[in-house]
Amino acid sequence: MRVLLYFLVFVLFMYACNDKEERDFPSIQTHANVIVEEDGVTAFGSFEGGWSSTITDIGFVYYLSGTSGTDYEIVSLGAVEAGVSDFNAKIVRNLLIGAEYTIKAYLTTSKYTVYGEEQHFISKGGKAPVIAGFSPNNVWIGDTLTITGRYFSDKNDDNHIYFGEEITQPIVSNDSILKVIIPNTIKTVKSDVRITVAGKSSSFSEKLVIAPPVIDEIVPNDVLPGESLRIKGHGLLSVKSLIVDQQNFPVVIKSDTSLLFTLTYDISPGSKNLKLMMLDELLEPEKQYNVILPQITSVQPQIAWIDSVLTVKGTHLDRLTNFQIGGIPLQEITKTDSLVTLRVTAVFNSETLNARFRYNGDIDSGLKITFNMPVITSITPAITHAGETIELTGERFFYGMAPSIGMLTEVSENKAKLTLPWMIPAGRHSIDLSYMFDFSAGTVEFTIPPIKIIDYWPKEIKRGDTVSVIVENLPEYLAGYYAVAFDRRPGYVMARNGNELQCIVPYDAEIGNNPSLSVHIGSQEDIIENAFVLTEKWEKVDKNFAMSGGNCCFIEMDGAHYLLFQDQHYSSLKKFDSSAEDWFQLSRTDLFNESNIVTTFSIDDDLYFISYNSSGENLNYKYSISNNEWSRIAGFPVEMDGSFSFSNQGRGFVGTINSFFEYDKVNDSWITRQTLPTTHYEVRNTLNFSHENYAYLGFYTSIVNRIEYNEFWQYNMDTDEWIDLGGAPVNVYTGGSVFTKDNIAYIMGKGYEEVGEFKAYNLNTNKARNLPLPPTQWAQYYQIFYENGYVYFMMRPDFYSGWSLFKIAISELYE
C-alpha cells in the first residue's frame, strides 16, 4: 500500500507537468468539515472532472499526525454508484483520545489511485470494543484463548487484554477476533476479562476459569524430610506451592508437565494427602504420598570400647550418614538398607547412637551405648604423701579420663601415673576415674599419714633466729605449699635434712611473748601452743589507733610530738601523752579539705603546715599551741614538688629539688637559701632531721643489681652550706623516721625489697650500728619518736588500716 502511495505521488507530479493533456482519472477533495464525536469521526469528500477509467473504490486514509503516512488506517466505501460525486464515512476504530490525526480522501480507478488534500482533527476516541465471547471456557496457563467481538484494533500493540489485574497482548488481532496466550502471571483461578483499545474498554460478563491440572503420579511415593518430591501431569503451571503439615513449599522447578518441591527436615513422618495451592485456591486431588524416616531398631553390643564393632539393624539405613555416639564419629564398615556395621575409633561419652540423613536431619536410635569405663586394680605405693606421684594399674586406661583426686601425668592402656595434690588431708582416700558423666566400675584406696612435730630447738627465740623442727611423715619433696609458722606467721624455711626443717623466725612478724609453733603441709597442720619464750625487748602497747584511710603528718617540737590526721572531711591535730600512751585531740579544722600537706616544721610555739590544692595554689597555715589558733602564712615562692623541711633553734627551712628557703616568722616571708647541690632529678620520700645547728637530708636515687643507692647531705644553718656525706646510714626507698638524743640519731628506714632497718648513727663520727627491729610487719607508713625514757614506733600495714604502737626502753638501745 505504501509503495502504491509513493507511485501515485510520482504520477500526479508528472501529470501536473502537462496539465493540458486529457486526464484518465478525476480530481478528489478532502473537505475540512470533519465532525468529531465521542464515538468516532465523520469525514467528507467529493470528486469531479472527466475521466475514462472506472472508479473501483473510494474512502479515507487517516494516521497520527507526524508519522508521514507510514503507519495509517483505511476506511473503504467500495465502488461508486453512477451519479454520485459526494461521499462520507464514519471512523470508529483505532482512534486515540486527545491525539491529532491527519486524514485525506482517496479514489481508485482501474489504473490510478488519487488522494485529496490533507485535513487535521483532534480525536475524542472511537467506539469501545465489544466482547461477544471467548473459547474455550476452561483453559490452562499457556493455552491459546480466542476472543470474538467488534471494534478491535488490527494491531496487537493497540489491544490490551486484562485477566483480573494482569495485562497481556494478543498474538493475532483483527476487527472481530483476538487470540491470546494465557500468561503464567495470572493470579486467580477465576478472572474478570477486560479489553482496552485506544483508551476505550469493556468487560465480559463471564469469568475466565483456569482448569485444575491433571496429576498423573508423585515421584518418589516415599520421601524423606529434606529430600525433593516431583509431581508429574498436565496443566501444572497454575500450581504455586505444595502444602505439607500446614507448611507451604514453593515450586523449585516448574513446567507444564512437572513440578519439583524440596521438603524441610522438620516434616513429620506419615501418610500425606496431596494438597496444592493452585493460584488462589486450594486443590486437593485424590493422591497420597508418604514421608518416611530411617529407623534404627537394634544396636549390638550395648557396652563398647575402642575398636568395638557395632551391628545396627533397621530400615532405610542406607539413607543415613555420620553415625555418632555422644558427638564422636564412628567408622562405617558396611551399609545396606537394613544393616550397618560400625567401628568405635575413639573414646566416647555414654549416649544413644544417632545418625544424619541428607545434610542436617538427625535420627536418634533411642538405644544407649555405654562406654566400657576403665578399672583400677591397684595403687603403688598404698601409703604415700601429699604432692607425691603414685602409679595406677588397671585396664582400658586412656588420655582424657579424669581422676577424682590429683592429676594424671602419664597414661598407657594399663598403667597411669598420678600426682597427688598438696591440699589433701591425712587419712584413707579412694580414687575413681571419670569421663564426662561416666565413672569407673571399681576403686582402690591409699593412705596419707598425718604429719607430727617430734622435737624442736631452741626453746628461747628472738626474731631472726634459726629454729630446727623435727617432723614425722614429711613428703619426699616439699615442692607445694608448706610452712613453719610462729603464732601462725610463716618463717623462711632455709634448709631440710631428712625430717628436719630449719626455719628463720620472721623479722617482720608480730608475734607474742610465748608464740606457738606450727608446721603446715598442704591442708595438714600440727601445732604446739606456747612453744617458745620470746626474748625481744620491744613491747606492744595494747591499743589500735583508728586513724585509717587518711594522711598522717608527724611533727616534733621541743620533745613533744604532734600529728595531723586528714580524713575525708576534717583534719584533727593530736598530741601524744606518754603517761597515757595515747593521742589526744587539740583542734579540728576544715582548712585542709581541698589541699594536700607536703611537709611540716615547727618554730618556737607554732606548728607549720605547707600544702597546695589541685590548682597548684599554696594554702599554708600555722597553729599556735599557746592560744589554740589557726592562721594563714605566706605562700611558698615556688611550685611544691618533692619537698623536705627542717626546724631547730627557732628556725624553719623548706626545700625542693630546685629551691631552698628559710621562713621569716617576724615578717611572714620566705628567705632564699643555698639550693641543694645534687645532680639527681627529684627528691621524694625523704629522711630529714636536724640536730643543733645542722640539718640532715637523705633520699633514694637508684637500684642496681638489687643494691640501693642514695644520697646523704648535711646542711649548716649558720653558714648556709651543704656538705655531701655520701650514702645514708639506712635504705630510704620509702623514706625514713629519726629522733636524736645525746649526739646519736636513731634512724629507721626501709628499702625496695629489704626488711626494715633500725640503726644508731653517731653524728660526730658518722658511724652507725644496728639496733633491734620492732616485732611487726614493715610498711611505708611508720614513725619513730622518743619520750620519757621510751622509744615509740607507730606503724600501719596499709593506708586503710589503723595504727599500732610499740615501745622499748631507750636504755635497751645503748651500747
Side-chain angles (χ1 to χ4, degrees):
M1 180 64 74
R2 294 187 182 92
V3 175
L4 181 60
L5 287 174
Y6 298 148
F7 176 73
L8 180 59
V9 172
F10 174 74
V11 171
L12 291 176
F13 174 77
M14 295 300 294
Y15 180 79
C17 294
N18 189 9
D19 57 1
K20 292 183 179 181
E21 295 182 6
E22 184 179 353
R23 296 187 302 176
D24 196 19
F25 53 87
S27 63
I28 187 169
Q29 294 84 34
T30 307
H31 296 180
N33 57 335
V34 178
I35 300 174
V36 179
E37 298 176 291
E38 297 292 336
D39 62 347
V41 174
T42 302
F44 299 88
S46 61
F47 54 90
E48 62 182 10
W51 64 89
S52 58
S53 299
T54 301
I55 297 175
T56 59
D57 184 27
I58 61 172
F60 296 91
V61 175
Y62 63 97
Y63 49 89
L64 286 171
S65 298
T67 58
S68 303
T70 58
D71 191 7
Y72 57 89
E73 301 286 344
I74 297 176
V75 178
S76 173
L77 299 177
V80 178
E81 297 180 1
V84 175
S85 61
D86 295 321
F87 58 94
N88 63 78
K90 188 168 184 178
I91 304 170
V92 296
R93 296 173 58 241
N94 299 329
L95 291 175
L96 298 176
I97 298 174
E100 182 182 23
Y101 285 87
T102 298
I103 189 171
K104 54 186 177 183
Y106 75 89
L107 180 149
T108 302
T109 68
S110 56
K111 295 182 178 180
Y112 305 105
T113 297
V114 184
Y115 290 90
E117 63 275 19
E118 294 180 347
Q119 300 294 341
H120 302 278
F121 64 89
I122 302 298
S123 169
K124 294 182 181 180
K127 286 187 177 294
V130 175
I131 303 174
F134 55 76
S135 62
N137 290 331
N138 292 332
V139 293
W140 289 332
I141 291 175
D143 286 355
T144 299
L145 183 72
T146 299
I147 303 174
T148 59
R150 296 178 59 194
Y151 308 125
F152 301 151
S153 174
D154 295 334
K155 301 175 182 178
N156 292 335
D157 292 345
D158 290 345
N159 298 301
H160 297 93
I161 303 172
Y162 292 84
F163 299 110
E165 298 300 323
E166 299 302 312
I167 183 173
T168 187
Q169 291 178 324
I171 56 174
V172 175
S173 301
N174 59 41
D175 179 66
S176 58
I177 293 178
L178 299 177
K179 292 187 177 184
V180 62
I181 296 175
I182 303 301
N184 60 6
T185 58
I186 198 166
K187 295 293 192 300
T188 58
V189 173
K190 297 177 181 179
S191 303
D192 294 326
V193 180
R194 179 166 57 94
I195 297 178
T196 298
V197 180
K200 297 292 182 72
S201 64
S202 63
S203 300
F204 192 50
S205 59
E206 297 182 13
K207 293 183 180 292
L208 175 72
V209 178
I210 303 299
V214 174
I215 307 299
D216 294 331
E217 62 176 329
I218 302 173
V219 180
N221 194 256
D222 295 330
V223 60
L224 284 170
E227 290 188 339
S228 294
L229 183 72
R230 186 178 298 277
I231 296 176
K232 296 182 179 181
H234 301 280
L236 299 176
L237 290 174
S238 60
V239 175
K240 300 300 181 183
S241 63
L242 170 70
I243 300 175
V244 185
D245 295 344
Q246 298 182 344
Q247 292 188 53
N248 273 280
F249 296 91
V251 180
V252 178
I253 300 175
K254 177 191 294 189
S255 71
D256 184 64
T257 59
S258 177
L259 300 174
L260 184 67
F261 303 92
T262 300
L263 303 182
T264 57
Y265 291 95
D266 56 353
I267 297 299
S268 62
S271 178
K272 311 289 182 181
N273 293 323
L274 182 62
K275 295 182 181 180
L276 301 172
M277 182 56 68
M278 173 188 167
L279 298 178
D280 61 337
E281 293 185 3
L282 180 63
L283 182 66
E284 298 186 68
E286 295 182 355
K287 297 284 185 180
Q288 290 184 327
Y289 60 96
N290 298 314
V291 177
I292 62 171
L293 288 176
Q295 185 177 8
I296 298 173
T297 58
S298 68
V299 182
Q300 293 295 332
Q302 294 185 335
I303 299 177
W305 203 64
I306 299 173
D307 287 332
S308 295
V309 175
L310 305 179
T311 300
V312 182
K313 295 181 180 181
T315 58
H316 307 298
L317 299 183
D318 57 339
R319 308 281 188 101
L320 297 179
T321 59
N322 296 335
F323 289 88
Q324 298 180 359
I325 302 176
I328 302 300
L330 303 173
Q331 179 186 2
E332 291 185 12
I333 303 175
T334 62
K335 182 165 63 175
T336 66
D337 179 67
S338 58
L339 188 143
V340 175
T341 57
L342 306 166
R343 176 177 286 109
V344 178
T345 60
V347 175
F348 62 89
N349 185 33
S350 297
E351 292 287 353
T352 56
L353 174 71
N354 62 74
R356 288 184 177 181
F357 64 91
R358 302 288 290 179
Y359 300 107
N360 60 357
D362 287 328
I363 294 294
D364 196 298
S365 67
L367 301 173
K368 184 176 181 179
I369 309 302
T370 301
F371 180 66
N372 198 4
M373 285 296 295
V375 176
I376 306 173
T377 57
S378 66
I379 291 180
T380 304
I383 298 177
T384 184
H385 301 91
E388 294 189 348
T389 298
I390 59 177
E391 185 174 83
L392 309 180
T393 303
E395 299 175 357
R396 300 185 298 276
F397 289 170
F398 61 91
Y399 279 103
M401 60 183 183
S404 57
I405 298 175
M407 181 178 65
L408 295 174
T409 57
E410 297 180 19
V411 178
S412 65
E413 186 172 346
N414 55 12
K415 289 185 181 298
K417 288 186 177 181
L418 180 144
T419 300
L420 294 175
W422 281 98
M423 303 305 292
I424 185 172
R428 293 181 66 83
H429 300 273
S430 61
I431 294 180
D432 59 22
L433 301 172
S434 66
Y435 178 73
M436 301 297 285
F437 305 106
D438 295 321
F439 295 88
S440 54
T443 61
V444 292
E445 293 184 337
F446 64 94
T447 299
I448 301 291
I451 61 170
K452 185 174 179 60
I453 300 174
I454 303 300
D455 194 10
Y456 62 94
W457 63 87
K459 302 298 191 288
E460 292 185 359
I461 61 171
K462 60 180 181 297
R463 288 175 302 113
D465 285 351
T466 298
V467 174
S468 295
V469 184
I470 304 298
V471 183
E472 186 178 57
N473 293 325
L474 279 179
E476 183 178 356
Y477 300 104
L478 292 177
Y481 174 77
Y482 64 95
V484 176
F486 304 85
D487 272 355
R488 298 190 180 277
R489 289 163 174 80
Y492 171 63
V493 179
M494 56 181 296
R496 174 186 178 175
N497 183 16
N499 60 353
E500 178 186 345
L501 298 177
Q502 293 181 345
C503 178
I504 297 176
V505 182
Y507 283 98
D508 55 356
E510 184 179 329
I511 54 181
N513 292 329
N514 297 103
S516 64
L517 171 66
S518 58
V519 176
H520 301 262
I521 303 294
S523 62
Q524 293 191 59
E525 177 190 44
D526 191 30
I527 184 169
I528 299 177
E529 300 289 350
N530 302 316
F532 302 97
V533 175
L534 187 67
T535 60
E536 294 281 359
K537 302 301 182 180
W538 283 92
E539 177 186 353
K540 183 178 182 182
V541 179
D542 190 19
K543 291 182 181 179
N544 190 309
F545 303 101
M547 294 179 289
S548 60
N551 189 30
C552 278
C553 300
F554 291 84
I555 314 170
E556 189 270 339
M557 183 175 68
D558 294 334
H561 296 89
Y562 304 84
L563 68 80
L564 185 72
F565 171 67
Q566 291 179 275
D567 61 19
Q568 294 181 347
H569 304 289
Y570 290 92
S571 297
S572 299
L573 182 64
K574 301 175 184 288
K575 181 180 180 181
F576 186 72
D577 184 347
S578 59
S579 61
E581 294 182 331
D582 205 348
W583 294 90
F584 294 94
Q585 184 166 294
L586 300 179
S587 176
R588 187 167 170 82
T589 179
D590 60 358
L591 293 175
F592 303 103
N593 284 6
E594 303 296 331
S595 62
N596 178 38
I597 298 175
V598 294
T599 193
T600 60
F601 63 92
S602 64
I603 300 177
D604 299 330
D605 189 51
D606 298 326
L607 306 177
Y608 292 85
F609 301 87
I610 310 300
S611 70
Y612 67 93
N613 60 19
S614 58
S615 301
E617 177 186 6
N618 284 134
L619 298 172
N620 304 328
Y621 297 91
K622 72 175 181 178
Y623 176 78
S624 175
I625 299 294
S626 59
N627 56 20
N628 190 27
E629 289 184 355
W630 290 91
S631 59
R632 187 167 178 176
I633 66 171
F636 198 67
V638 299
E639 181 179 353
M640 302 297 295
D641 184 20
S643 62
F644 57 91
S645 61
F646 313 108
S647 59
N648 203 9
Q649 300 182 348
R651 301 173 68 182
F653 298 84
V654 177
T656 70
I657 189 67
N658 296 315
S659 62
F660 189 52
F661 297 91
E662 179 180 358
Y663 178 67
D664 183 350
K665 177 178 179 180
V666 175
N667 298 309
D668 187 25
S669 63
W670 295 91
I671 303 171
T672 302
R673 296 302 184 196
Q674 181 66 39
T675 302
L676 175 68
T678 181
T679 58
H680 197 55
Y681 62 90
E682 67 176 354
V683 174
R684 295 184 183 276
N685 297 332
T686 59
L687 164 72
N688 47 272
F689 63 95
S690 59
H691 180 67
E692 296 179 349
N693 62 327
Y694 290 99
Y696 296 85
L697 174 66
F699 54 91
Y700 159 85
T701 57
S702 64
I703 295 178
V704 179
N705 295 328
R706 310 185 100 180
I707 298 176
E708 179 180 306
Y709 294 90
N710 54 57
E711 296 184 12
F712 194 44
W713 295 85
Q714 182 189 69
Y715 176 68
N716 190 320
M717 299 181 185
D718 294 336
T719 63
D720 190 26
E721 292 178 335
W722 291 91
I723 300 173
D724 187 356
L725 299 181
V730 296
N731 289 313
V732 292
Y733 181 84
T734 60
S737 180
V738 187
F739 74 88
T740 61
K741 180 175 174 56
D742 301 329
N743 293 321
I744 300 295
Y746 294 86
I747 305 175
M748 278 194 176
K750 188 177 184 300
Y752 178 70
E753 294 180 335
E754 301 284 339
V755 297
E757 298 176 281
F758 187 23
K759 293 186 178 183
Y761 178 70
N762 191 309
L763 297 172
N764 295 325
T765 63
N766 294 333
K767 293 183 178 180
R769 61 183 174 87
N770 291 328
L771 299 175
L773 290 169
T776 184
Q777 179 181 358
W778 277 81
Q780 180 179 356
Y781 309 100
Y782 60 91
Q783 186 73 18
I784 189 168
F785 57 92
Y786 169 77
E787 280 194 22
N788 294 334
Y790 282 93
V791 177
Y792 291 93
F793 175 74
M794 278 190 70
M795 63 78 57
R796 59 179 176 181
D798 56 64
F799 186 74
Y800 296 100
S801 299
W803 292 80
S804 299
L805 183 65
F806 301 84
K807 70 178 182 179
I808 188 172
I810 187 70
S811 59
E812 297 288 346
L813 305 181
Y814 293 157
E815 288 184 303

